[in-house]
Amino acid sequence: MTLASCQAILWLGVFFTFFGIASIFFNRRERKKYYDSILTRKDIKEYITHEPQQPWLSAWQIGGRISLILGVLLMIAGGVLWLAWY
């Protein structure tokens, strides 16, 4: 395995980690914006009970967590391979 391959794995890990963090923050912003817009409507029941659940609001959070886990694992694997081979 070459040094470039180890660095590629490491940089993919960094990319996925930053993407995961960004998508988690994006989820928080979108959820806040959605529920703040509900607050201005006359029917506040959905704001208080969060029923019905909005699956698209949770999608960014779930994707961000998966990306964050994969990114950390790739960074660890890239670092270990880099240290083991060089």
Side-chain angles (χ1 to χ4, degrees):
M1 181 174 279
T2 64
L3 180 62
S5 299
C6 296
Q7 287 177 341
I9 293 171
L10 189 62
W11 284 110
L12 276 173
V14 170
F15 171 75
F16 275 111
T17 302
F18 284 136
F19 180 73
I21 292 170
S23 63
I24 288 172
F25 283 129
F26 181 74
N27 173 53
R28 287 184 184 170
R29 186 177 61 119
E30 286 296 313
R31 185 175 294 229
K32 185 177 186 296
K33 187 174 16 172
Y34 177 75
Y35 285 120
D36 284 348
S37 71
I38 290 178
L39 191 59
T40 60
R41 296 181 195 162
K42 292 184 180 188
D43 183 25
I44 303 180
K45 179 184 175 200
E46 185 179 350
Y47 175 75
I48 294 172
T49 62
H50 295 281
E51 292 290 330
Q53 289 290 329
Q54 303 295 331
W56 61 272
L57 286 174
S58 299
W60 280 102
Q61 184 178 16
I62 294 168
R65 287 180 182 172
I66 291 170
S67 179
L68 190 62
I69 291 169
L70 285 176
V72 169
L73 290 175
L74 280 172
M75 282 194 309
I76 290 171
V80 167
L81 287 173
W82 192 4
L83 292 174
W85 287 99
Y86 296 101

